[in-house]
Amino acid sequence: MAKRVRETGSEGGESAAAATERKVKTPRLYRVLLHNDDYTTMEFVIWVLRTVFRHTENDALAIMLHVHKKGVGVAGIYSREVAETRVVQVTRLARDHEFPLKCTMEPA
């Protein structure tokens, strides 16, 4: 996506030489991952997926089963700031409920 930016001269007129093009990059995306453990309940993982990541019941169940069977699964893909916030939210909720659920992020 390119945007044309025009600068105005001191008299308010547009200068053709001052017109420049800048390319705007989309932000890099990050995967938020949930890791399987032997203590966190499946119900809690589904609740986290529905509450924090806003997945439907069916999607949350599918992601939870993937995490359970494969050891790790993607809960969502977000910009860096949002991904960091979700990791902190999940970790805090897990500790508040006395579960060792591990949540990390990696570049998508």
Side-chain angles (χ1 to χ4, degrees), residues 44 89-99:
F44 181 76
Q89 287 175 325
V90 170
T91 303
R92 186 172 296 140
L93 284 169
R95 298 311 170 263
D96 288 349
H97 289 85
E98 300 180 354
F99 288 117

Side-chain angles (χ1 to χ4, degrees), residues 3-106:
K3 287 189 173 187
R4 183 167 291 282
V5 178
R6 295 190 185 260
E7 296 178 8
T8 58
S10 59
E11 298 174 358
E14 292 182 0
S15 168
T20 60
E21 280 194 36
R22 286 190 334 202
K23 293 191 179 194
V24 179
K25 292 183 180 178
T26 57
R28 186 171 190 178
L29 297 177
Y30 291 80
R31 287 186 208 82
V32 177
L33 306 172
L34 294 179
H35 301 265
N36 190 39
D37 63 68
D38 292 333
Y39 302 100
T40 305
T41 64
M42 293 179 179
E43 292 80 11
F44 181 76
V45 174
I46 291 172
W47 179 78
V48 164
L49 288 165
R50 297 205 62 208
T51 304
V52 176
F53 299 97
R54 303 285 185 221
H55 287 292
T56 64
E57 181 77 27
N58 289 336
D59 289 344
L61 178 61
I63 294 167
M64 180 276 300
L65 288 173
H66 180 84
V67 170
H68 181 69
K69 292 176 183 176
K70 302 291 183 179
V72 65
V74 177
I77 301 175
Y78 306 97
S79 66
R80 188 174 132 222
E81 294 80 12
V82 174
E84 288 173 344
T85 301
R86 299 284 162 92
V87 169
V88 169
Q89 287 175 325
V90 170
T91 303
R92 186 172 296 140
L93 284 169
R95 298 311 170 263
D96 288 349
H97 289 85
E98 300 180 354
F99 288 117
L101 180 63
K102 183 177 177 182
C103 184
T104 61
M105 61 185 259
E106 68 180 18

